[in-house]
Amino acid sequence: MNGEELTEQETALYDRQIRVWGADAQRRLSKSHILVYGMKGTIAEFCKNIVLAGVGSLTLVDDRAVSEEALSANFLIPPDESVCSGKTLAELCCDSLREFNPMVRVSVEKGDLASLGAEFFDKFDVVVISCCSLATKKLINAKCRKLSKRVSFYAVDCRDCCGEIFVDLQKYNYAKKKTDGAAECELQYPSFQEAISVPWRSLPRKVSKLYFAMRVIERFEEAEGRKPGEICIEDLPAVLKLKKELCEAQSVNESHIPDTLLERLVMGAKEFPPVCAIIGGTLGQEVIKAISSKGDPLKNFFFFDATDGKGMIEDISNPNLES
C-alpha cells in the first residue's frame, strides 16, 4: 500500500474525506485491495461503504444465483428479472458497485474460496467472509496467517435482528490520538481458532450471550452438515440439547445462553435489512481504520442485537497467546 501519491482526480474526488482523516490515510485506502466472499445483505452494505470511501480495488466471490432471500436484503441486486438472468450474485453486485465510484476497480472471481491456495490471498490487504461454515472460517483465516505479509481477516454473520463480526489483524501497529499528540500502539490478535478455543469458564461473567449462542449454532450446523442459515424451528430441540452438552463440557451455567435467544436465531436465520446496515457500517469503519492505521481498532468480536439496540465489543483472547 506504500508508494504512489494520490492523483489530482483522487484528491478532488475525496477532498472531504482527506479533510477528516488526512491525505496519507486516503492514499493507503486508494492503494488497498479488498476481497469479499458471500454477497449477503450485510456485505452489500459494507461494499457500498468502502467503495464510496475510495479503496483501490474490490474483488467479489459468490457463484450463487439470485434467490428470494437475497433479494430481500441485498439492495445491489437489480429488481429487473431479465437483468438477473444467467448472472451470479457477485456479477450482479459488481455491476451496481461500479456505478457508486468508477475510480474503484470492482471485479469478480469465480470458484470455491476454500479450495484456493494461500498464494491467491497474497494479492489482498483485507479478506472479508460472510455467513461461512465453522470449518471455512478456520481455513481461510489460517491461509491468511500463513502469508509473509499481514492480511487483515474479518468474518461476519447476520441472523434476523442479531449480528457478529470477528476481527484478526494479527500483530497490528497503529497511531492513537492523545492530547499531547499521537502514541504508537501495538495489539496482538488471536486467530479465529484460538479465540473460540478459549474456555468459556475463563471468560468474564458479562460476556455477550450472543457469543455463546453463535458458537452453539455454528456447532449444530457443522454437526448436521448444514450450510450457514439452513436451520429452522423444527431444529430447536436438537439445538437446545447441544447447548446443554456444551455448557456441561465447558463447566458453565446454561443461563449463559437463554433458550429464547437460540429460538430467535433458529427462527430468524435470514438477514434483517436494518441490522445489515448497522453491521455493514461497523465493518466498513473497522476496515478503513485497519487500512489507514488510524484509530483504535476493534478487538476482536463485535455483537449487535436489535431487541435492546446495544452493540458490544468483546476481547475473546487467551492471555497466554498475547505478547
Side-chain angles (χ1 to χ4, degrees), residues 172 174 284-298:
Y172 179 70
Y174 67 102
Q285 175 181 290
E286 288 304 316
V287 168
I288 289 171
K289 284 195 288 187
I291 294 170
S292 64
S293 297
K294 288 194 174 182
D296 292 311
L298 187 159

Side-chain angles (χ1 to χ4, degrees), residues 20-199:
V20 174
W21 52 52
D24 182 61
Q26 188 62 51
R27 180 186 63 79
R28 288 171 179 264
L29 278 173
S30 298
K31 310 309 171 190
S32 65
H33 305 290
I34 318 295
L35 172 70
V36 298
Y37 175 78
M39 296 309 300
K40 304 279 282 184
T42 305
I43 289 295
E45 292 282 353
F46 163 71
C47 289
K48 174 204 68 177
N49 293 334
I50 61 168
V51 164
L52 291 174
V55 296
S57 73
L58 175 64
T59 302
L60 313 178
V61 183
D62 195 328
D63 295 341
R64 294 176 300 160
V66 175
S67 64
E68 189 175 325
E69 179 186 348
L71 283 168
S72 69
N74 188 334
F75 64 89
L76 294 175
I77 302 171
D80 187 347
E81 289 186 11
S82 63
V83 176
C84 298
S85 179
K87 287 192 173 183
T88 65
L89 275 176
E91 289 169 335
L92 290 167
C93 293
C94 179
D95 293 340
S96 298
L97 286 166
R98 284 172 176 162
E99 296 178 6
F100 280 95
N101 187 349
M103 292 192 69
V104 176
R105 300 182 301 280
V106 186
S107 62
V108 171
E109 189 80 33
K110 291 193 174 184
D112 178 18
L113 203 64
S115 65
L116 296 171
E119 65 280 356
F120 170 79
F121 300 93
D122 194 48
K123 299 181 288 185
F124 304 100
D125 304 297
V126 175
V127 171
V128 179
I129 63 174
S130 169
C131 297
C132 289
S133 67
L134 178 60
T136 300
K137 290 177 186 178
K138 294 177 183 178
L139 179 63
I140 304 303
N141 188 203
K143 288 182 178 182
C144 291
R145 282 184 153 250
K146 286 180 180 178
L147 301 171
S148 57
K149 73 173 188 178
R150 185 180 65 82
V151 174
S152 302
F153 173 84
Y154 300 81
V156 59
D157 201 351
C158 184
R159 294 170 186 252
D160 190 56
C161 59
C162 299
E164 172 188 79
I165 299 172
F166 169 76
V167 182
D168 177 15
L169 304 183
Q170 301 181 43
K171 187 176 181 180
Y172 179 70
N173 297 285
Y174 67 102
K176 184 173 184 176
K177 281 188 177 181
K178 291 194 172 183
T179 52
D180 56 347
E184 289 297 318
C185 300
E186 182 178 287
L187 288 175
Q188 186 74 41
Y189 284 72
S191 67
F192 183 70
Q193 173 69 67
E194 291 167 342
I196 64 171
S197 297
V198 174

